[in-house]
């Protein structure tokens, strides 16, 4: 849906970053979509006083949930637990596998 992220890493706590513009006939909102220490997240800058940003964020999330994912395969590492995580989607089916990488 959004193409390649602006930033991408194999660090599970900082795996990707997108800047997404959501708009309607009268307003625009800017959101960051990223993978952080607690997992995937959507954020925005409250200092920008983005009126109705919460509703726009909900609309963005519903659009993401309702879109069939493109095929992709990623490998990231979660250093805190010495884990290698392989995840992605193929033909609309998503997968996730975590392996212990002790001694890596």
């Amino acid at each position: 849906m959004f193409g390649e992220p602006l930033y991408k890493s194999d660090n599970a706590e900082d795996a990707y970053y997108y800047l997404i513009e959501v708009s309607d006939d009268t307003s625009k909102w800017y959101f960051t979509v990223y993978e952080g220490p607690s997992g995937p997240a959507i954020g925005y800058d409250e200092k920008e006083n983005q009126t109705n940003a919460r509703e726009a964020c909900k609309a963005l999330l519903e659009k993401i949930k309702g879109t069939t994912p493109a095929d992709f395969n990623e490998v990231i590492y979660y250093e805190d637990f010495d884990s290698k995580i392989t995840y992605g989607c193929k033909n609309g089916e998503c997968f996730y596998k975590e392996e212990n990488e002790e001694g890596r």
Side-chain angles (χ1 to χ4, degrees):
M1 175 184 289
F2 304 115
E4 287 294 313
L6 294 173
Y7 170 82
K8 188 170 153 180
S9 164
D10 68 355
N11 177 353
E13 294 188 45
D14 189 27
Y16 57 83
Y17 172 89
Y18 290 90
L19 180 62
I20 307 295
E21 177 185 298
V22 177
S23 62
D24 64 16
D25 293 336
T26 60
S27 301
K28 287 184 184 179
W29 301 271
Y30 297 94
F31 297 96
T32 55
V33 177
Y34 61 96
E35 178 87 22
S38 61
I42 299 175
Y44 69 98
D45 186 356
E46 293 181 48
K47 295 175 189 168
E48 294 282 326
N49 192 20
Q50 295 188 44
T51 306
N52 299 321
R54 184 175 297 254
E55 289 78 16
C57 184
K58 287 179 184 177
L60 173 60
L61 185 57
E62 289 306 312
K63 180 71 172 173
I64 292 169
K65 286 180 177 179
T67 301
T68 302
D71 289 354
F72 73 97
N73 187 70
E74 296 292 335
V75 176
I76 56 177
Y77 297 92
Y78 189 47
E79 299 294 334
D80 291 353
F81 296 105
D82 292 322
S83 296
K84 174 184 174 184
I85 300 165
T86 304
Y87 70 103
C89 296
K90 181 147 177 93
N91 298 323
E93 296 291 323
C94 296
F95 56 89
Y96 175 94
K97 180 181 177 184
E98 188 168 347
E99 303 171 83
N100 186 341
E101 286 284 298
E102 196 170 309
R104 180 176 95 91

